[in-house]
Amino acid sequence: MWKQLFNQIWNQRRANTWLWLELAMVTTLLWYGIDLVYNYEGAARLPKGYDTDGVFDLMVQTKPLEAIDGADNERAGEDFTYLYNLIKDYPGVEEVCAYYGSVPYTGESMFEGYAPHDDSTHVVKCYIRYVTPSYFKVFRLQPLAGQLDEEHWTPAEFPMPVLMSADLVDSLFHLPNRADAVGRTCFNPYWLNNKDNPVTSYRVTAVLPRHKLNDYERYEPFIYLPVSKALFWQHIALRVAPAHVSGFAERFRCDMQSVFDRGIFYLDYIRPYSDMKAAYDVQQGTVNYLNTVYSIAAFFVFNVFLCVLATFWYRTRKRRCEIALRMAMGSSRMQVMHYFLAEGLGLLLLAAVPALIVAFNVQMADLTVHTLVDVSWGRFFGCFLGAVALLACIIVLGIWYPARRAMRIQPAGALHDE
């Protein structure tokens, strides 16, 4: 059947040439559009390395100096410890932690450089988070290798324990196996000659998955360092049980606003990380930019749909006589339908060959958008097959409906009309 089909396509090559060129061009352009969307949506769907679902960010602030007396100032540490424990006991709260440094969805970031002891010139810059031990439970971080020792998670240890993301381990140690980084040490050149902070040796206790600060960003090197206790100026993160997430921030503020008005402190805000993400995307212009990109892509796909659909619809309607003749010679309706569908899809496969060559050269020339997701053969072939599959669906629709209507007419009547 396929040999007969391609012979038929070849015999009608003069009529099929323009259709073949149209399909080749549209396939290439459609691949580029799908690849562009993948750059953003693929990045947004990659894990950040930590889980923010069901996590709330809480910030405690201090009152103005003129409203603070000496007695309140003296017992500030005791008051904050009391408030921190109240958060732990609030209904629905599963875990609480405190941290500072690089905070997701805020633009707050902190960098430092680290070097292995065997090569002091090889300094790798990375994002930093200083965290209490419960941070890893709140954000559900699961190490790829090694494990956190909460008992020794303190700055007083020497070498100081740290957890590194896979990207930092790869950049810093260049090991064939990331698990081999556990137990390795490094130092911070910035503190090397600083008398106030002589601790410059750090020991890797665990390797974490790849990290990024926000959804629409690339993976970056990350390091986690210990803090001994929660302090009022740090971010407090709460993991809330799924059954209590809905309306939690409003309930907490209503119940605890007056309680947090204690000594020098007051409750500044509590917000879910999902709201932080939405506000950050708007602030950075990400939403407007993506809306523009997707509107253009949708407009292009709609035009492709109309163009290809109309072409095959018209082409099939013009061949009513051929449909009637095939049915008059004994072919069933299903056989005729299969033949026309196979012919349309065969033209698409023939057009996909030059489209694949053009797309390959476009990618090799580095003309695609890969600001957030690296170029890979999986991405290339996945997007190209997506473009071909979308066109195949349009072609099937453009052939099936008019052919189905043509086959309802009696063969003799169709031949007479022609």
Side-chain angles (χ1 to χ4, degrees):
M1 175 184 175
W2 286 104
K3 184 178 180 181
Q4 179 187 358
L5 178 65
F6 284 110
N7 284 337
Q8 178 74 4
I9 293 174
W10 174 253
N11 292 335
Q12 297 179 357
R13 57 187 178 277
R14 185 170 295 180
N16 289 332
T17 298
W18 288 110
L19 182 57
W20 176 76
L21 290 173
E22 176 189 347
L23 287 175
M25 182 179 65
V26 168
T27 303
T28 306
L29 293 174
L30 194 57
W31 159 77
Y32 192 88
I34 292 175
D35 186 81
L36 175 65
V37 172
Y38 181 89
N39 178 65
Y40 299 103
E41 288 306 312
R45 282 160 176 72
L46 289 173
K48 296 186 295 294
Y50 47 93
D51 182 11
T52 57
D53 291 340
V55 180
F56 289 74
D57 180 49
L58 183 148
M59 196 70 183
V60 176
Q61 292 288 5
T62 57
K63 299 172 183 176
L65 290 175
E66 57 270 17
I68 299 174
D69 59 34
D72 289 339
N73 222 3
E74 288 178 3
R75 69 168 189 271
E78 179 184 336
D79 287 344
F80 182 76
T81 301
Y82 171 77
L83 296 174
Y84 190 74
N85 290 331
L86 282 182
I87 298 171
K88 293 180 181 179
D89 296 333
Y90 189 81
V93 175
E94 295 181 342
E95 293 285 348
V96 181
C97 71
Y99 74 101
Y100 69 97
S102 300
V103 183
Y105 309 128
T106 62
E108 296 179 37
S109 59
M110 186 181 293
F111 298 88
E112 278 186 356
Y114 295 85
H117 281 105
D118 56 0
D119 185 2
S120 59
T121 62
H122 179 57
V123 180
V124 179
K125 291 184 178 180
C126 61
Y127 287 102
I128 303 171
R129 284 194 182 123
Y130 292 90
V131 304
T132 57
S134 54
Y135 176 95
F136 304 101
K137 294 179 180 177
V138 171
F139 289 92
R140 292 180 176 172
L141 271 78
Q142 297 296 326
L144 302 175
Q147 60 182 357
L148 171 69
D149 185 356
E150 292 192 14
E151 185 179 346
H152 296 93
W153 186 254
T154 168
E157 288 284 321
F158 186 85
M160 188 186 297
V162 297
L163 276 71
M164 293 183 177
S165 71
D167 288 282
L168 181 55
V169 165
D170 292 342
S171 301
L172 197 61
F173 298 114
H174 300 294
L175 298 171
N177 189 353
R178 290 169 178 166
D180 296 337
V182 176
R184 295 245 177 178
T185 59
C186 60
F187 70 98
N188 186 338
Y190 179 78
W191 297 111
L192 201 57
N193 298 316
N194 190 296
K195 295 180 180 180
D196 297 330
N197 193 340
V199 178
T200 61
S201 187
Y202 305 87
R203 180 175 57 85
V204 181
T205 60
V207 179
L208 298 173
R210 304 182 74 188
H211 272 49
K212 56 181 179 176
L213 265 179
N214 307 300
D215 291 2
Y216 294 104
E217 289 190 6
R218 298 181 71 89
Y219 286 118
E220 299 286 353
F222 263 81
I223 189 170
Y224 286 89
L225 293 96
V227 293
S228 54
K229 62 178 181 179
L231 299 172
F232 72 88
W233 48 268
Q234 300 167 354
H235 284 262
I236 299 173
L238 302 69
R239 173 159 290 281
V240 178
H244 293 79
V245 168
S246 179
F248 179 84
E250 292 74 15
R251 292 194 304 273
F252 187 94
R253 190 179 296 108
C254 180
D255 296 340
M256 304 296 285
Q257 188 81 53
S258 58
V259 177
F260 270 73
D261 186 8
R262 182 184 180 92
I264 68 171
F265 302 114
Y266 70 94
L267 178 62
D268 187 12
Y269 61 78
I270 178 170
R271 56 189 178 178
Y273 274 79
S274 57
D275 287 359
M276 293 170 63
K277 175 194 178 313
Y280 183 78
D281 287 344
V282 171
Q283 177 189 350
Q284 296 297 308
T286 305
V287 173
N288 289 336
Y289 178 78
L290 292 180
N291 285 341
T292 302
V293 170
Y294 295 160
S295 297
I296 295 172
F299 179 74
F300 170 72
V301 171
F302 180 69
N303 279 275
V304 167
F305 173 79
L306 291 180
C307 178
V308 176
L309 181 69
T311 299
F312 277 90
W313 193 300
Y314 176 77
R315 187 171 182 270
T316 305
R317 281 182 60 85
K318 288 288 288 182
R319 298 170 71 183
R320 291 175 64 223
C321 180
E322 182 181 342
I323 293 174
L325 184 60
R326 287 180 177 275
M327 293 177 64
M329 294 181 66
S331 294
S332 66
R333 292 183 177 182
M334 188 65 69
Q335 288 174 327
V336 174
M337 180 68 75
H338 285 171
Y339 176 83
F340 275 81
L341 289 176
E343 185 184 54
L345 296 177
L347 276 170
L348 176 61
L349 290 177
L350 290 174
V353 175
L356 182 63
I357 295 172
V358 173
F360 174 79
N361 283 279
V362 169
Q363 174 146 310
M364 294 304 293
D366 198 26
L367 297 177
T368 57
V369 179
H370 46 267
T371 53
L372 301 180
V373 181
D374 291 333
V375 173
S376 66
W377 290 117
R379 170 181 172 176
F380 174 77
F381 286 111
C383 293
F384 190 85
L385 290 175
V388 172
L390 181 58
L391 282 175
C393 293
I394 297 173
I395 290 172
V396 168
L397 182 60
I399 293 174
W400 173 80
Y401 186 73
R404 186 168 175 268
R405 290 192 63 184
M407 286 186 290
R408 288 179 178 176
I409 302 173
Q410 291 296 325
L415 291 171
H416 180 269
D417 292 341
E418 291 294 334

